[in-house]
Amino acid sequence: MMIVRVLDKKAPDALAVPLFQGEQLASQLAELAEKAGLDATTLQNDFHAEAKEVIVLYPSNSPGRRFYLIGLGKKQGFADVQNALRLFCHRFKSKLPARLGVDLRHIDPVHLPRVCEAAVGGLLLGLYRFDAFPREKNTSDTPLFGTDKSGIDIMTLPEHTAAATSAVSRAEVMAGITKKIFDLVNAPGNQKTPEIFADAAVAMGSEYGFSVRVVRRDTLVAEGLDALLAVGKGSEEPPLLLFLEYGHKTRKKKTPSFGLVGKGITFDTGGISIKPSTNQHFMKSDMGGAAAVLGAFAAAAKLKLPVHLTGAIPVAENMPDGKALKPGDVIRTYAGKTVEVTDTDAEGRLVLADGLAYLLKHETPDVLLDVATLTGSVIRTLGYHAAGLFTNNEQLAAGLTTAGATCGEKLWRLPLWDEYGADLKSDVADLRNFTGKPMAEASSAAKFIEHFTAAHPAWAHIDIAGVAFGDSEFAQSKSATGFGIRLLTEFMENWQESGA
Ligand code: BES
Ligand code: MN
Ligand code: ZN
């Protein structure tokens, strides 16, 4: 573990200086130029603090010192700052000394806590690396920064050390959780069967302080979670359901309660409605919703949020096999409604149906949220830049959208009009799982799920298919983003029902 300290004097030799664009940049650069014995005009000419721009200054007047000037761009948003520092660390980590200072003395006090949290979080995540099988390290070129004896020194003015200290501990908590979630989402299908995923959830529960009950196949059969069982039928690995809880039911009257449901398909081949092989390997990330829910539980528990949280995570592997679900099969869901499975690749809505119904059978949360990598359609609609938000509750829409904007995990609302559900009618069952029309599938999927929410007045569905796993500067191929952890945490922290 790296040690992160907050100091108000004597900066270490290596000092990162994150800088925003704006009116004060010129004078901040002039001050740095003077410290480094450089010409101010030249520095102002060469460094514009564009997002992710980095230059290194080697002051000739004090050997061993260096200043890393890191551009943050114009926006003071959390994600912009975190990403700039993460990219800096990712690129420079092999060259950084054991102790890196981060100068925040020039940051506007109003923004200091968030900038501090984002800067530390970015540096910690910049050290992240996924290894399915840890490789032997070449000790001669093991970088110093990031090892046990290394650390980060945050430089603040004496009057801001308290604020910075709490921002640092929050950053450490969130980065620790995010790295665990990265590992889970990046893990290949053979290393995250439902049973392995359940083990990881149980381990997180005991580390962070929430309970995890594993509901295994026999109980699922006895209780009738037939939709979840149907999706898992083609796999050698039995499906299961995780039931999570944090906080107490005997809570204070005003403590809000949240029910979180996450899609946990550990690998989605499509089943008999099999997917093309190109890019099928990315479907190891089809448990991104489940991972976001787990991460939110860990954050809520570790940050001791005054909320009552329950969660249901249906976990299954969607495989083609002699025993697999066939297109056209009719199944009964836990809620009692029957479904004609016209496409076995629309499996997410089936497991969510049982997850939602199971949660609502045992709990009555004030707010009900489900998070899922549900449709290719939401990617065609919003690209890789935002998750789709579906809800009929205006207050919830506003709360979630604001939380997303604040933490940089953008949500964009899409319609949940009844028209989109019309084509889900079946001749042989209450519903079919696919309209058969390649149009507005993200909305028709949301309408399908709505049937299993028992008309909950504060339900929202978040389709994260485009944002849970993607290209970035941090890996060769697509990798986990951790989308949803911060969004859900931020949302729950700020939620207050109007009139409550
Ligand atoms: N897991 C996929 C959705 C997905 C696609 C997630 C791309 C991430 C990236 C989901 O189970 C699926 O296969 N959806 C189908 C639904 C269709 C058959 C109605 C889709 O979107 O094509
Ligand atoms: Mn699918
Ligand atoms: Zn899927």
Side-chain angles (χ1 to χ4, degrees), residues 263 268 286 347:
K263 170 179 173 181
D268 182 14
D286 210 16
E347 85 296 341

Side-chain angles (χ1 to χ4, degrees), residues 12-51:
D13 276 350
L15 191 64
V17 189
L19 292 159
F20 286 108
Q21 288 178 322
E23 283 166 22
Q24 282 160 35
L25 181 63
S27 65
Q28 287 163 349
L29 289 174
E31 205 179 301
L32 280 159
E34 197 187 319
K35 275 197 215 163
L38 300 169
D39 172 49
T41 316
T42 315
L43 185 59
Q44 287 158 349
N45 240 340
D46 286 9
F47 183 78
H48 297 253
E50 268 149 35

Side-chain angles (χ1 to χ4, degrees), residues 442-457:
S443 283
S444 65
K447 288 310 278 186
F448 181 92
I449 295 168
E450 190 182 36
H451 285 276
F452 300 90
T453 58
H456 194 291

Side-chain angles (χ1 to χ4, degrees), residues 181-217:
I181 296 305
F182 282 175
D183 276 347
L184 269 178
V185 178
N186 290 333
N190 62 332
Q191 290 180 17
K192 64 168 168 220
T193 61
E195 200 55 46
I196 298 174
F197 188 80
D199 287 346
V202 169
M204 281 189 79
S206 50
E207 178 174 353
Y208 290 96
F210 58 93
S211 74
V212 180
R213 183 160 56 84
V214 184
V215 186
R216 292 215 167 67
R217 183 162 57 187

Side-chain angles (χ1 to χ4, degrees), residues 240-298:
L240 50 84
L241 183 135
L242 302 171
F243 190 81
L244 322 179
E245 183 161 14
Y246 158 71
H248 279 287
K249 274 190 207 166
T250 53
R251 57 194 207 272
K252 282 194 235 113
K253 264 220 181 87
K254 281 195 174 166
T255 311
S257 61
F258 301 88
L260 306 182
V261 178
K263 170 179 173 181
I265 298 296
T266 59
F267 196 88
D268 182 14
T269 65
I272 297 298
S273 314
I274 199 162
K275 289 181 182 295
S277 58
T278 315
N279 295 336
Q280 202 187 106
H281 59 289
F282 293 141
M283 282 301 123
K284 67 178 186 178
S285 64
D286 210 16
M287 31 58 73
V293 166
L294 260 185
F297 264 80

